[in-house]
Amino acid sequence: MAKRRTDAHQSAQTQLQLELHSTGQALKEAYEKFNYVSEPELVEACVYEISALKARYNYLLRCIKERSGAAEGPCVAAAAMEGGRTCRS
């Protein structure tokens, strides 16, 4: 029974890590798109998209850290995606 719980926990962790990676990639793409748009409406849309993705990234990062119990090393917060500081785990 304990093995099943451990497997389920690892599976959930793996899923969260995959979502975090996917969100990080989407965030990088949103920053790239932001750098190329010039219409005010598109700039505003990119800002909202980046803000939403940063919120999701930070949420997933928090979930992973909470589930792991102890940090395994330094992580990168969404603010660090575009030259921000890394968080100390």
Side-chain angles (χ1 to χ4, degrees):
M1 190 68 123
K3 174 117 173 105
R4 286 162 108 180
R5 248 186 219 158
T6 302
D7 290 343
H9 177 73
Q10 288 176 344
S11 176
Q13 275 296 93
T14 301
Q15 183 63 32
L16 284 172
Q17 289 172 346
L18 288 172
E19 286 185 51
L20 182 70
H21 178 73
S22 174
T23 303
Q25 289 299 112
L27 188 55
K28 287 179 185 177
E29 291 170 11
Y31 274 117
E32 288 174 12
K33 188 180 354 173
F34 175 80
N35 289 330
Y36 290 102
V37 297
S38 58
E39 295 293 322
E41 294 87 3
L42 295 178
V43 170
E44 185 177 0
C46 286
V47 168
Y48 282 117
E49 182 180 5
I50 289 168
S51 179
L53 287 168
K54 286 172 80 172
R56 179 167 178 75
Y57 189 92
N58 286 332
Y59 167 77
L60 291 168
L61 190 59
R62 257 192 332 274
C63 286
I64 290 170
K65 289 172 70 175
E66 287 172 3
R67 287 177 180 249
S68 70
E72 298 176 2
C75 58
V76 179
M81 298 300 286
E82 191 65 25
R85 297 177 302 162
T86 57
C87 66
R88 298 288 174 178
S89 301

